[in-house]
Structures are given as C-alpha cells and as structure tokens.
Amino acid sequence: MIVRHRSLLILTTVLTTGALTLTACGSRDDKGDGGDKGGSNTTVVIGVDAPLTGQNSATGLGIKSGVEIAVKDANDKKLVPGVTFEVKALDDKALPPTGQQNASELVANKDVLGVVGPLNSGVAQTMQKVFASANLAEISPSNTAPELTQGKNWVSGTKTRPFKTYFRTAITDEVQGGFSADYVYKTLKKKKVFVVDDKQTYGAGLAGIFAKKFKEQGGKVVATDHVNVGDKDFATLVTKVKNSGAELLYYGGQYDESQVLTKQLKDAGAKIPLMGGDGMFTPTYIKTAGKAAEGDLVTSVGVPVDTLPAAKDFIDKYKAGKYKGDYGTYGGYSYDAATALIKAVGNVVKDGKVPADARQKVVDEVQKISFEGIAGPVGFDEYGDTKNKQLTLYQATKGAWKSVKTGTYNAS
C-alpha cells in the first residue's frame, strides 16, 4: 500500500494582469481532522502485483479487479475514517525478475504499507525477501507452493516460516495435489497416469505432490515429462502419452500451455482426460480448447464463488463494471486479501494519522485478522497460511466448469 498525506490549499489572487494561483501541498506531518471540510486526508494505495499482460493475464487481471472492487467498497462505506484508498497495480508479466523489480519499487516508497499478489509462486520467491526486509505485508490470493510459508524442509515434516510478512488466502499444493490423487484413484478408479509439468515452481511442485500421493494410494505413474512455458507444439509429448497406456494425464502448470496440449492430445485420438490445478481454472481454458476440454478436470481454492451468497454483490459489481479478467479463479480471494489489509490499516491509521512504525503494525494486525470474507472465513495460522482449507474439483461440462466435489483434505 502506498500512503501519502494530502492537505491541499489553493489560493487564487486575481490581478488586473491575470490570475496567479499558489498551491501548497501538505506533508505527512500536517494536522487535520481527516474529514471533507477543509481537513487533511490520508490516501492509502493498495499495491497489486500480477501478470496483467502476456502469460496468465486472464487470472492476473482478475486479481487486480478484485482488489479494485474492494477498494471502491471501502471508500463508498468510509470504512477507515480519515483514509481514502486507491490501487496501484504493477505488471510482473509472470516473470520472477520483473516481480522482484516491482517489489523493490513498492518498498522504495516509504509510505507503502502492504501488497496483494503475486499470482505465481515462482514470482513470489523473488519478492518475499524484498518485502520482509522492509516489514511490508504481502497477501497472495493464489500462491500454493508449500515452501513459501513452511520452508524448504516442509516435506520432511520440519516446518519453519521463512518470512513473517508473507500471507496467503489460497491453500497449498500439498492439499490440492493430495485431494486430486485421492479423487483420481478412489472415485475415477484410474490406476495409471502420465504426469507432466512446466518446470516452474508451481507446476513442478504440484505435479510432484500429485505423483507422490497417487503412488501412495496404490496407483502407477507410467511416465513423467516436462514442457517449457510458451510451448505450442506438443506432438512428441502427445505420442508418448498416447502410447503409454495412461488413463489420465495430470498437468502441473498454467492454462496457457495446457489448453493447447489437451486439444492436440484429443485430436491425436488419445481420449483421456487432462487434469490440473488452480492454474488451469479459468473460462479461457475451455474457450481456447473448445470441445477438446470436455471432461477435463481441475481443482481450485475454496468453494465456487458463484454459489456463495456473500459474493453475490461482488459478482454483480464485477459484471456491471465490466472489470477485466476472470473473477471466478481468484477474484473473491483477492477481494478478501485487500479487505484484510484495509481492516489492518484501519487498526493502525487513526483519524488519518500514520505512525512511524505503521508497516510493522500492519503486519501484526494481518496476523491477528479474523472475519467472514466473501469467499469464506479469512484468517491465518502461525505460518501465514489460510485457515480456510476448503477446495473444489471442477469438470469441463458443456462449455463451462461445473463443480463436482467440494471438501477438505488432510495432508498430514
């Protein structure tokens, strides 16, 4: 969040030779009542980092739009006296180095108090330390790599929180991968799968967890392979999958590649479903893949936002305002992440006055936050992970993602 104190005095003196305008802009230390009648007002800008162009931009724009609606609601309801909220969105293009640059840009402004984002776990890894060094609160609505909150040794059961400034409203891949493996083996009764990932932090991590959990169930991973981000020709991979005898292809990665892969797979005659995680959960996947997407499966955080009464007003505003991006993937969780920061700021900035240690205080308030969001309960455990462990499995049915199963999964 970028915070700047405004106290604007405009004095216009009309002379015979013309008009002379003198403008005095107040500083953070100016006195004022924070009201509308001549007093000063503090503007808090919530920073957003996400891919707004290029790879993953449909979901990235959904994050940005969710925050924008939360900010508009906060201003309309005057949730924090003496404060007006605005949004500053930076495009990381799904590139870790760009995300790190964006983090540095936000930290460089001493008035920044918090950020929503990023979308990608790999980008988050480059941003976490930058934000932590400045005690800057960061809440991601979509990062799922376990090590972001539980450290590199989480697999062995040794969990250590790397950065106390990092939080997320999304579940981890340990939960998501296990839930998927359980469903494929026990419900779909499929015993042989082919596993592919895009070599990225999120994709490789999710695919690895799915494969591990599937084998623990008793299933067989007939083969594994990798693709590169940006690939469009999967002919060689499709041949491998088709000849492997796999009953399902599990893909760890984003929709950009998987929506092309599933079409080429079906066109080649391999009539098996492609399954993936929340990185594939977007209408864009089905729109691009067309009929080839029919029967494909994805898991995503929480429960379908369209089914939640608390989210109805949010969805109505999203559609009426013609906001860009896909709200169904992370829009609700972005709204809740922004709301958490807004509430934290409300507990720190009183009557528009920003304390010198505001950043650290916002982090402390976020850790203690507890409220009912539009996408479910919002609160964080000792690692900064969401306490809301619900997730949903969807299947592409007649041109849309339809909820198949909603529940929780015990990853331990």
Side-chain angles (χ1 to χ4, degrees), residues 49-230:
D49 178 87
L52 307 180
T53 58
Q55 293 281 327
N56 315 152
S57 59
T59 43
L61 288 167
I63 290 175
K64 173 176 176 285
S65 296
V67 174
E68 289 175 336
I69 296 174
V71 163
K72 187 176 186 305
D73 284 351
N75 288 335
D76 290 346
K77 298 174 183 178
K78 301 186 185 301
L79 292 183
V80 182
V83 171
T84 298
F85 293 95
E86 293 180 2
V87 176
K88 174 66 175 180
L90 300 179
D91 181 9
D92 63 33
K93 300 179 175 63
L95 299 173
T98 305
Q100 186 175 41
Q101 292 170 9
N102 290 347
S104 296
E105 179 179 335
L106 293 170
V107 166
N109 186 326
K110 294 182 180 180
D111 291 333
V112 173
L113 296 185
V115 178
V116 174
L119 167 67
N120 308 86
S121 293
V123 176
Q125 287 180 323
T126 68
M127 303 178 79
Q128 284 182 305
K129 187 173 182 179
V130 178
F131 287 141
S133 66
N135 292 322
L136 181 58
E138 170 192 12
I139 306 178
S140 172
S142 54
N143 295 161
T144 54
E147 59 264 35
L148 294 174
T149 49
Q150 300 170 21
K152 295 180 179 180
N153 297 319
W154 69 271
V155 177
S156 65
T158 303
K159 298 181 180 180
T160 303
R161 186 176 185 178
F163 303 103
K164 293 185 178 181
T165 52
Y166 177 87
F167 305 84
R168 55 177 154 201
T169 54
I171 56 170
T172 70
D173 289 331
E174 186 181 16
V175 176
Q176 190 169 202
F179 185 83
S180 298
D182 189 75
Y183 185 83
V184 171
Y185 189 82
K186 294 182 178 179
T187 304
L188 297 183
K189 307 295 184 182
K190 297 187 183 298
K191 310 303 180 185
K192 297 187 293 183
V193 301
F194 196 112
V195 178
V196 177
D197 69 70
D198 64 359
K199 305 179 187 177
Q200 302 300 301
T201 301
Y202 161 71
L206 179 59
I209 292 169
F210 171 84
K212 178 177 181 292
K213 297 293 184 180
F214 187 71
K215 287 186 285 188
E216 288 177 355
Q217 293 278 4
K220 181 180 181 181
V221 176
V222 297
T224 61
D225 210 332
H226 314 278
V227 301
N228 296 307
V229 172

Side-chain angles (χ1 to χ4, degrees), residues 127 159 173 184 249 279 315 393 402 407 412:
M127 303 178 79
K159 298 181 180 180
D173 289 331
V184 171
L249 169 60
I315 295 172
L393 183 130
K402 300 297 183 182
S412 60

